[in-house]
Structure formats: structure tokens, C-alpha cells
Amino acid sequence: MAALAPVQVSPLIKFGRWSALLLGIMWGSHRYNTLKASETAWRVEEAERKIVKDAHKATEKTRLNREELLYLADQAGVKVPPNF
Amino acid sequence: MAKALTGLAAKAPGLIKGVVDYSTPKLNTFWHYARVELTPPTPADIPKITQGLNSLVKSARTGKWKEVPVKEAWLNTLITAEIAFWFFVGECIGKGTIVGYQV
């Protein structure tokens, strides 16, 4: 292919392209910052809720574990030690 | 691993020269076209830009856009699509990743 001369692009098109690029960069960074702020806020709340949830789950687990062992002891005829 | 690294370090000047020799003409052609086609508009172009915008608005207002040949209308559509794609390229640059927001 013979070397083509560079096309004289209309200034309106060049203006449109560059302004679209700059607007896109601004929009992208703005949206990223907004989403990051709300996500970090949610993560902080979730961390607080996690402490409560984990404590609750731990107590539930020990309770269910104890009841399961009591049931198994009852089924197997094993004598349950006092203060279990 | 050490032998591969020393071999690479020994060949590195030759490799770099090869890369430079291969890419310089290509960069020159790219620069030859980019200097005319891809540069941002200068303040000297502002009257032409406003003229272009006014002609677009006038064509929309007077209904002249209905008289445009299909080939030209198709070209205008492609150009508009390209300008829209530059917005999404900018958004990818602004958010830092290509797909999705890594919050």
C-alpha cells in the first residue's frame, strides 16, 4: 500500500474525541471514589456486625454440641457426668 | 536459572538494539500520522468547532438531516460511535481497571 497522506481531521471531531476521553476519565475516577467510599463504610459496619455474629455462632455451636453429646449418651446408654 | 539470567544479560544489548531497530521506523510512521490526526484541538480551532456545532444544530432544527445521503449518514454514525467509545476508554483509565470497579 502506498503511503497515504495524513487525514486532516475536522477540529469538531478532535474536540469531541478528546472531550469524551477527558469526561470519561473524570467520570471513571469519580464513580470509583464514590463506590470505594460506600464499600469501605459497609465493610466497617460488617466488621462490627461480624464480632457480634461470631460470638453468637460460637455460643450456639457449644450449645448444640452439648445437646448432641447428651443425646448420643442417652442413645448409647453412657452415664453423663454431673455438671456437664 | 542463574545461567539463563547471565545468558540474557550477555544478549541484552543485542536484544535492545534489535527492538529499537525494529520499532523506530514503525514509531516514525505512527508519529507522522499522529502529529496531524490525533493531536488535541488548539484554541485556534475554536471558531471552526463552534461553526461545526452550529451547522449540526441548524441541520437538526431545519430538518436537513433527513436529506443526508445514507452513505454519509452511516459515516456520521460510525464517527459518533467512535467518540462514544473514547468515553468508555476514558472511564477505564479513570477507574484503573479494564473490567469492573475494584473497590
Side-chain angles (χ1 to χ4, degrees):
Chain A
M1 207 161 79
L4 299 165
V7 169
Q8 291 294 340
V9 183
S10 131
L12 177 62
I13 295 178
K14 279 204 263 190
F15 174 73
R17 282 178 185 159
W18 282 94
S19 51
L21 182 70
L22 291 172
L23 283 173
I25 294 176
M26 283 163 42
W27 167 248
S29 72
H30 166 76
R31 185 136 192 256
Y32 174 78
N33 291 331
T34 315
L35 290 175
K36 185 135 188 111
S38 53
E39 186 68 16
T40 44
W42 183 87
R43 282 203 186 118
V44 162
E45 289 171 20
E46 186 67 15
E48 288 167 18
R49 284 196 289 264
K50 185 175 161 62
I51 300 169
V52 174
K53 248 197 286 192
D54 284 349
H56 185 253
K57 270 198 245 180
T59 53
E60 269 301 292
K61 192 171 173 186
T62 50
R63 181 181 72 84
L64 289 170
N65 206 18
R66 178 177 176 275
E67 286 176 9
E68 194 178 338
L69 287 175
L70 285 174
Y71 172 76
L72 286 173
D74 184 50
Q75 292 294 311
V78 172
K79 184 167 164 311
V80 178
N83 300 334
F84 180 67
Chain B
M1 181 69 195
K3 200 157 88 124
L5 278 176
T6 49
L8 177 64
K11 278 195 292 178
L15 282 175
I16 293 177
K17 185 174 178 307
V19 166
V20 168
D21 284 342
Y22 173 76
S23 57
T24 332
K26 297 195 185 290
L27 280 175
N28 284 340
T29 39
F30 169 76
W31 197 239
H32 172 66
Y33 289 110
R35 228 165 0 124
V36 180
E37 295 181 8
L38 293 180
T39 50
T42 63
D45 294 328
I46 292 181
K48 274 194 255 173
I49 293 172
T50 49
Q51 208 176 41
L53 284 171
N54 284 335
S55 79
L56 277 177
V57 167
K58 201 153 60 116
S59 143
R61 224 166 5 107
T62 61
K64 202 154 65 83
W65 59 274
K66 290 182 267 194
E67 318 274 310
V68 165
V70 171
K71 184 165 171 197
E72 218 176 291
W74 175 236
L75 286 174
N76 292 343
T77 310
L78 289 177
I79 292 170
T80 314
E82 189 214 337
I83 293 177
F85 295 157
W86 278 111
F87 175 82
F88 295 115
V89 168
E91 188 182 353
C92 290
I93 296 173
K95 67 184 174 178
T97 52
I98 293 187
V99 178
Y101 286 83
Q102 300 292 337
V103 273

